[in-house]
Every structure is written in C-alpha cells, then in structure tokens.
C-alpha cells in the first residue's frame, strides 16, 4: 500500500453546539480517488474544507503529505493551499471579468509567476484550446467547470478536492468531466477527494465513504486499489 | 508576464469591469483633490497679491530715537516730560538689521531746518534713491534731484516762492550752500511743506554726520508677522523705539490669514466628506466582491496578496484622480482668481505632489476599513454564502 497523503485522527469540527464533524479517523493513500457521499448537512463540505486548509479543526489532528495543518499559521495555510491542493467547486467560482486564460493565470500568480503558454496548455488539456479569450459568462456550465479544473491542476497539486463538481451539470457534461478527471489523474498521479450525491459519479472513484450526521457510517470499495 | 505587470493588469480589469463605481470614485477623488489644489493656488496668489498691495503703502515699520526725557516738576507735582530732539546712529540701525535678520527696504531721514533769506525752512535729509523706492506714491513735478539739487514740497511754492529750476543760497548751516530745485513733490501729507535735501549734505550742515532722526522700513512679512519683526529689531536697538506703521497693510494681512483659515476649514470638511464617501463606496465594493475574495484566498492567495491587490486598486485610483485633480484645480484656481480677486493664479508645479498626495491619502484612508475586512474575510463563509 502506498504512503498516506491524508491522515486524520479524531478530527472534529463543531460550530458552537452543532457538531458538523464528529471525531473522524481517515487515511487516504497517495494516488487514491476517494468519494464522499451522504445526506445534506452530513458534514461532507466541512470535511473537505478541513482537508483543503480552508478551515481549522476544533479537535483532533489532520496531516496532509506529512504536514500537520493545525500547526500552520494563516499564511502557512495559504501557502499550503497554493502549493499542495487544487479545488473545484460546484458553482465554478470563476472571476467574471477575467477570460478563461486569465482565470487560470491568476492561480499561477499566487503560486509563482503567470505563464501564458503553460496556462494555454492546461486549457488545451481540458479541451478548451478554442475558448481561451472567452469570459465565464460566455461559456456553458460544463465548459466553466473545465476551466475550473484547468485552474485547479495548473500548479501540479498532489491533492485535488471537488465539492459536488458535477452538481450543476447534465449527464453528458458530467461524463465528460469525469473522463477528463480520470485522464488527468492517470497522467499526473494526484489524489482526489470528491463529494457527490450522484451514485454514477461515485463509481469513478476507488473508494466511497458514506457520512451521516457528521459520522463516517459506511465505506465501500468501488474498484480494486 | 512579471508578477507586477500581472497585478496591474488584473487591477485594471477589475476597475474597468465596475466602471460605474470606478468613475464615481474617480470623480469624488478628483473633485476633492482639485478643490485642495485650487484653494492652495488661490491662497498662494492672494498672498502674493497682498504683499504687492502692501508694498504700495510704503514702510510698515518706523524706528525713532527714544527722545531724551527730562522730568519737569518736583515732589508730588509733575508737569510731564519735555522732549528734546535726539538722533539715531545709521551704523547702529544697520547693525541691528543685520543681527535681527529683518529684511526689507529702508530709508534714512534727518529732520532739520535751513535758513533762506532770514526765514527758517523745514528740511529733511534723505537718500533720494531709497525714498523713491519706498514711497512709490510721491508725485514729482520736474525731476528727482541729482547731485547739488533738492526736491521742494509743493506747499513751498505759495509760502516761499520755490519753483522748479530756482537756485537758492542757504545759510545758517556750517557753510554756505547753493542748490537747484529739481522738482516739486506733492503727497498730500506733511511732505508738501518740507524741502528734501541730500542726507549727507544736511548731516554736514547740521554737524551730525552718520546721524538720522528717523528710519522707515518696509520689512518683508513673508517669514513672520510684522509684530514679531518689530520685536526682534527692538531687541537690538535699546535706545530707540520701533513702531508699526500702516494699519492698512496689517489689516489686509490679518484678513488674508482669516480667509486662509476659512479655506483650510472648507478643504478639511470637503476632504472628510470625500473620504467617507470613498469609504462607503469601497465597503460596498468589498461586500459585493466577498465571493471573489474568498475564491482568491481558497486558490492560495495569502491575506497579504489580497491586501496588495486591493491597495493597488486604491493606489491607481488615487494617482489617476490626483493628476486629474491637479489639472482641474489649476483651472478652478484660474477662474476664481480672475473673477474674484482680479489676479492670475498660474498652475504651479509644486502643487502637483499636493494634488496627488491628497487624493492618494483619501483613497487609502477610505480603504482602510474595507481593506481590513478583505484581510480578515473567511474564505469558507464567503464561498458558502448565497
Ligand atoms: N458556519 C457554520 N455555522 C454553523 N453551522 C454550520 C456552519 N457551517 C456548517 N454548519 C453546519 O454543519 C453541518 C454540516 O454542514 P456541511 O456544509 O458540511 O454539510 P454538507 O454535507 O456539505 O451538506 P450539503 O450536501 O447540503 O452541501 C450542517 O448542519 C450545517 O448546518
Ligand atoms: Mg456541501
């Protein structure tokens, strides 16, 4: 078994009285594609935000690639996000006044230096070589999600996080995005943690965990690992 | 693309994207900075104008010897003091001017009398070049005197039959004196009854070389008030009295000071108002852009990166409207100066940093609150919201 990219122990996140995530022990091996499923409000996004260094746990420990996120300062977390993770959102969250190309370059800016050729290559990889100069408003939902993927992988992260990335897409676009993610993962060998409500989407992963009321209730292998 | 160029690029993109708000901010900042510039320019031109006007009134300080006082009376009975003519030394006055650092034009005056055919005529010894410079309102019929010539007061004509071109032989001095009347002066004041003669000549005649009975001084008030200048001069002239002259000049200076204070207050009010409006506009902008800020943070932008982006926007707005404010302020100042003060207010380059500084300061001051919220904004919260 490969080394773990994610290791949590008794990881907890509560908001006052509400315990959004109950003590969780989770281990994700390097290169695994993990799917997180569960009812609305079961704590999926909470878990993902903790893994992405967007939020801090209220208890337990979380380490990603050997780094204990709890020990990182605010700026350390920002550095962790730009160096180690790529995030794909359900609502795309592209900057409306920048073109597809510029949206990807923005991510490069935080990481190191904007490099147009590299950004163009990333968009070509997601099949958008012909829509470089279009703004998000001029792209379809599926296209926007692919820009989002190009932006997430541009700095070669080791961990890709997706919070219902296909939640707003129809069947055809969903399949296209999933195929794209599979191909990219096969080339770049990053790990994926993806939240979804969609059984079909879950089938693309290696393993699925089910959550309910902040607890991990069930776990199943979808493919051999 | 370098990081700096990229920063400029996206900041411009963001400003153009919200062009309505950008124009509003530019307008507010430009107006504020142009007002500050205009008032500064008008105030500077007013100051020059007042100085010029004050000059027309002649000397603003007079130095006189403290007349020797002789108490009259005895015991409880006092009849007051009797003055005797006394004199100042020219050298002492020049030394006092040098030591006190008071600068300006001055003229020496020696009062005396000369006898013409048995009649005493009041005389005043002056240096004609000094007097001419210090008393621009003197109207001279004929010429200003050269060597061996004098200037008669216009009242001397009816009283003593003094005419331009006349030759007179004075006696009663140390030696006989023959002079020609070069011209007649009329000022409407006491000068009209006086015969003006070369200072050196009169000093010789009276046996008082290097002595004068009065010094008139037009002190530069650029550095300090007239009162301060008089006081500092007085310190070096123990045997003399330094008095302020010409209330006219003083009132216009006081008025100028009050007008300047008023303009300063108006500017302050305008700047505060503009600052709050900038702050308000910036705050809504930041609120609206909460998602964008959250996203940038989620993508790995540190708080400092975000602060840099948003201060760059404020900086660009500030500099842009500073340049605009400088030019607009120049136009306003020209209009105000010509229509209100009948003066010209040239656009001075030294006000450029003022204009840019004012709008930059406003833009940054107005952004402090919004920038703080950018700094503190939690990416999870802002991305979740909807
Ligand atoms: N900032 C917050 N303050 C208080 N409670 C919160 C906050 N954020 C999340 N919660 C609560 O934590 C619980 C888990 O939320 P979370 O967003 O992780 O759910 P989820 O599984 O992602 O749901 P969905 O499928 O609807 O996105 C919910 O009960 C939610 O109300
Ligand atoms: Mg969620």
């Amino acid at each position: 078994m490969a080394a773990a990219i994610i290791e949590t122990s008794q990881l907890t996140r509560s908001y006052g009285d509400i315990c959004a995530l109950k003590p969780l022990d989770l281990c994700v091996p390097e290169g695994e594609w993990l799917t997180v499923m569960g009812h609305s409000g079961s704590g999926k996004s909470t878990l993902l935000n903790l893994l992405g260094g967007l939020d801090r746990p209220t208890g337990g420990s979380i380490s990603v690639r050997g780094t204990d996120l709890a020990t990182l300062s605010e700026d350390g977390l920002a550095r962790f996000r730009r160096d180690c993770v790529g995030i794909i959102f359900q609502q795309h969250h592209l900057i409306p006044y920048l073109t597809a190309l510029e949206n990807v370059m923005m991510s490069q800016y935080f990481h190191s230096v904007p490099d147009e050729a590299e950004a163009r290559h990333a968009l070509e990889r997601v099949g958008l070589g012909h829509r470089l100069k279009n703004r998000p408003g001029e792209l379809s939902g599926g296209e926007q999600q692919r820009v989002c993927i190009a932006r997430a992988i541009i700095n070669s992260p080791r961990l890709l996080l997706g919070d219902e990335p296909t939640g707003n897409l129809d069947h055809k676009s969903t399949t296209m995005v999933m195929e794209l993610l599979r191909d990219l993962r096969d080339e770049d060998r990053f790990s994926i943690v993806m939240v979804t409500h969609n059984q079909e989407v879950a089938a693309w992963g290696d393993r699925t965990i089910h959550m309910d009321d902040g607890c991990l209730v069930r776990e199943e292998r979808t493919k051999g690992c | 693309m370098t990081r700096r160029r990229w920063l400029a690029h996206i900041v411009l993109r963001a400003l153009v994207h919200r062009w309505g708000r950008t124009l509003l901010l530019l307008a507010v900042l430009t107006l504020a900075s142009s007002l500050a510039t205009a008032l500064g320019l008008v105030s500077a031109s007013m100051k020059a104008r007042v100085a010029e006007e004050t000059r027309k009134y002649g000397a603003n300080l007079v130095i006189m010897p403290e007349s020797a006082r002789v108490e009259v009376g005895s015991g409880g009975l006092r009849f007051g003091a009797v003055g005797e003519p006394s004199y100042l030394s020219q050298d002492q006055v020049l030394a006092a001017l040098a030591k006190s650092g008071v600068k300006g034009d001055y003229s020496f005056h020696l009062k005396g009398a000369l006898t013409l055919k048995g009649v005493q005529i009041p005389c005043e010894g002056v240096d004609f070049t000094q007097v001419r410079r210090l008393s621009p309102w003197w109207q001279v019929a004929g010429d200003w005197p050269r060597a061996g010539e004098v200037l008669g007061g216009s009242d001397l004509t009816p009283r003593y039959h003094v005419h331009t071109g006349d030759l007179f032989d004075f006696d009663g001095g140390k030696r006989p004196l023959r002079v020609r009347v070069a011209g007649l002066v009329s000022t409407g004041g006491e000068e009209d009854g006086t015969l003006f003669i070369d200072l050196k000549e009169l000093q010789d005649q009276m046996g008082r070389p290097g002595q004068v009975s009065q010094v008139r001084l037009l002190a530069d008030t650029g550095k300090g008030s007239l009162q301060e200048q008089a006081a500092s001069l007085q310190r070096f002239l123990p045997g003399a009295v330094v008095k302020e002259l010409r209330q006219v000049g003083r009132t216009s200076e006081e008025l100028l000071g009050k007008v300047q204070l008023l303009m300063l207050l108006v500017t302050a009010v305008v700047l505060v108002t503009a600052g709050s409006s900038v702050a308000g506009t910036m705050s809504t902008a930041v609120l609206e852009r909460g998602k964008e800020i959250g996203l940038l943070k989620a993508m790995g932008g540190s708080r400092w990166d975000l602060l840099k982006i948003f201060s760059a926007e404020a900086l660009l707005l500030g500099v842009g409207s500073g340049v605009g404010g400088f030019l607009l302020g120049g136009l306003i100042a020209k209009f105000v100066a010509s229509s209100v003060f009948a003066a010209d207010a040239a656009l001075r380059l030294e006000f450029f940093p003022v204009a840019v500084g004012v709008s930059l300061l406003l833009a940054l001051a107005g952004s402090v609150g919004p920038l703080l919220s950018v700094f503190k904004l939690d990416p999870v919260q802002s991305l979740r919201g909807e």
Side-chain angles (χ1 to χ4, degrees):
Chain A
M1 194 164 171
I5 184 164
I6 298 169
E7 255 186 310
T8 77
S9 120
Q10 299 297 296
L11 182 65
T12 321
R13 178 64 165 109
S14 49
Y15 299 98
D17 295 341
I18 305 164
C19 199
L21 191 66
K22 303 205 170 125
L24 173 75
D25 293 318
L26 183 70
C27 175
V28 180
E30 190 92 50
E32 189 184 43
W33 181 329
L34 179 75
T35 308
V36 184
M37 294 191 79
H39 300 298
S40 181
S42 57
K44 307 182 295 293
S45 297
T46 304
L47 172 63
L48 214 66
N49 290 335
L50 289 171
L51 294 179
L54 288 167
D55 195 8
R56 287 174 182 280
T58 45
S61 74
I62 174 169
S63 101
V64 178
R65 301 201 76 209
T67 312
D68 184 358
L69 297 193
T71 63
L72 294 181
S73 65
E74 200 69 29
D75 296 323
L77 277 180
R79 216 171 304 125
F80 164 76
R81 291 197 292 268
R82 67 175 186 236
D83 291 342
C84 299
V85 279
I87 306 181
I88 318 170
F89 307 91
Q90 178 176 358
Q91 285 100 357
H92 321 312
H93 292 311
L94 293 167
I95 298 171
Y97 53 85
L98 297 181
T99 63
L101 190 66
E102 288 167 338
N103 264 287
V104 177
M105 286 167 78
M106 194 71 212
S107 194
Q108 291 178 311
Y109 168 73
F110 289 132
H111 184 263
S112 46
V113 207
D115 181 338
E116 195 177 326
E118 214 176 85
R120 190 183 303 125
H121 180 237
L123 281 165
E124 279 160 3
R125 278 179 85 186
V126 299
L128 285 176
H130 58 299
R131 311 299 310 259
L132 300 176
K133 300 284 176 198
N134 289 87
R135 305 222 175 155
E138 301 158 353
L139 300 174
S140 75
E143 285 170 334
Q144 287 184 44
Q145 197 55 288
R146 283 188 277 157
V147 176
C148 216
I149 292 171
R151 182 179 67 187
I153 60 162
I154 187 68
N155 297 320
S156 320
R158 297 317 301 153
L159 178 61
L160 191 73
L161 301 175
D163 198 345
E164 298 184 48
T166 58
N168 285 354
L169 302 182
D170 60 17
H171 179 73
K172 199 166 157 235
S173 301
T174 299
T175 313
M176 206 163 167
V177 164
M178 295 323 285
E179 279 171 355
L180 178 63
L181 282 177
R182 181 197 59 201
D183 295 345
L184 291 172
R185 184 177 81 124
D186 287 349
E187 285 170 45
D188 293 358
R189 317 288 330 150
F190 48 74
S191 313
I192 298 180
V193 177
M194 183 182 292
V195 170
T196 185
H197 287 289
N198 187 333
Q199 203 63 53
E200 259 176 74
V201 168
W204 290 80
D206 304 321
R207 177 162 68 120
T208 303
I209 57 173
H210 293 266
M211 297 189 63
D212 188 20
D213 196 21
C215 296
L216 198 168
V217 289
R218 191 154 54 86
E219 175 175 340
E220 65 192 314
R221 299 228 156 249
T222 23
K223 295 179 205 161
C225 194
Chain B
M1 197 181 281
T2 65
R3 284 174 61 84
R4 192 168 304 166
R5 271 192 57 199
W6 174 258
L7 182 65
H9 176 75
I10 54 159
V11 162
L12 268 177
R13 275 297 178 86
L15 288 176
V16 170
H17 179 63
R18 286 164 216 278
W19 57 270
R21 170 158 306 138
T22 304
L23 283 183
L24 182 70
L25 281 171
L26 277 176
V28 169
L29 289 172
T30 303
L31 277 179
S33 124
S34 71
L35 191 80
T37 311
L39 289 183
L41 282 169
V42 167
S43 155
S45 94
M46 264 174 72
K47 201 166 175 185
R49 184 73 200 251
V50 165
E52 197 180 292
E53 291 280 328
T54 319
R55 219 191 144 72
K56 285 195 197 140
Y57 300 120
N60 47 18
L61 289 179
V62 62
I63 307 169
M64 288 186 298
E66 208 169 30
S67 54
R69 281 165 164 268
V70 180
E71 294 290 330
V72 180
S74 68
L77 279 174
R78 289 188 181 277
F79 299 117
V82 182
E84 261 185 13
S86 54
Y87 302 92
L88 283 170
S89 144
Q90 277 177 283
D91 291 341
Q92 194 199 348
V93 172
L94 288 175
L97 276 173
K99 276 189 242 162
S100 67
V102 174
K103 298 217 162 25
D105 279 337
Y106 52 82
S107 66
F108 290 113
H109 301 255
L110 176 63
K111 297 209 167 144
L114 287 173
T115 320
L116 179 67
K117 291 172 200 147
V119 185
Q120 283 227 322
I121 296 184
C123 286
E124 197 168 319
V126 293
D127 179 327
F128 288 108
T129 358
Q130 290 176 350
V131 167
R132 211 173 161 174
R133 227 178 333 160
L134 213 59
S135 314
W137 66 90
W138 279 24
Q139 290 179 354
V140 173
D143 293 316
W144 280 85
R146 285 186 293 267
E149 293 183 327
V150 295
L151 192 63
S154 57
D155 285 353
L156 298 181
T157 310
R159 258 187 260 166
Y160 308 104
H161 310 289
V162 174
H163 298 279
T164 303
D166 286 355
L167 273 177
F168 289 104
D169 287 298
F170 288 96
D171 43 44
K174 294 271 168 191
R175 52 191 154 88
L177 172 68
R178 164 170 287 205
V179 290
R180 183 182 165 274
V181 178
L184 294 173
V185 60
S186 87
T187 66
E190 61 176 10
E191 289 89 352
D192 292 1
T194 310
L195 185 78
F196 291 92
I197 185 165
D198 181 64
L199 176 65
K200 280 247 158 42
E201 185 66 54
L202 192 63
Q203 283 172 337
D204 288 350
Q205 288 289 336
M206 293 172 62
R208 302 202 165 273
Q211 291 190 308
V212 293
S213 38
Q214 195 184 72
V215 183
R216 296 192 190 163
L217 179 64
L218 173 54
D220 287 342
T221 46
K223 271 183 247 152
S225 78
L226 199 54
Q227 233 169 334
E228 289 165 15
Q229 308 241 9
S232 65
L233 205 52
Q234 180 72 71
R235 232 173 293 135
F236 296 98
L237 287 168
V241 206
V242 182
K243 275 202 239 163
E244 289 175 46
L245 271 188
R246 304 289 170 201
Q247 291 303 310
V248 194
R250 196 163 159 193
T251 9
S252 46
E253 260 167 38
E254 274 171 9
L255 196 65
L256 173 70
K258 282 181 184 157
V259 171
Q260 280 179 330
L261 187 67
L262 179 72
M263 296 208 285
L264 210 67
L265 285 177
V266 170
T267 313
V269 168
V270 168
L271 292 193
V272 168
T273 317
S276 354
S277 119
V278 169
T281 315
M282 285 284 203
S283 304
T284 27
V286 165
L287 275 183
E288 277 177 20
R289 294 172 73 177
K291 267 214 160 66
E292 182 184 329
I293 298 163
L295 168 73
L296 294 177
K297 285 193 173 178
M299 275 161 68
S302 68
R303 299 174 299 178
W304 303 105
D305 285 328
L306 272 286
L307 210 59
K308 204 153 94 183
I309 292 173
F310 280 80
S311 357
E313 278 190 26
L315 208 77
L316 207 66
L317 285 172
V319 171
S321 45
V323 174
F326 176 64
L327 297 174
L328 185 64
L331 281 179
I332 296 175
K334 239 188 172 52
F335 174 73
V336 171
S338 71
S339 64
V340 181
F341 301 107
D344 189 43
L347 193 54
R348 296 150 170 242
L349 222 57
E350 66 255 37
F351 276 89
F352 185 69
V354 174
V356 173
V358 163
S359 59
L360 204 58
L361 199 80
L362 274 187
L364 290 178
S367 310
V368 168
L371 285 180
L372 263 175
S373 55
V374 167
F375 195 77
K376 290 194 292 200
L377 187 129
D378 172 29
V380 175
Q381 296 290 354
S382 57
L383 284 176
R384 186 194 301 272
E386 193 145 295

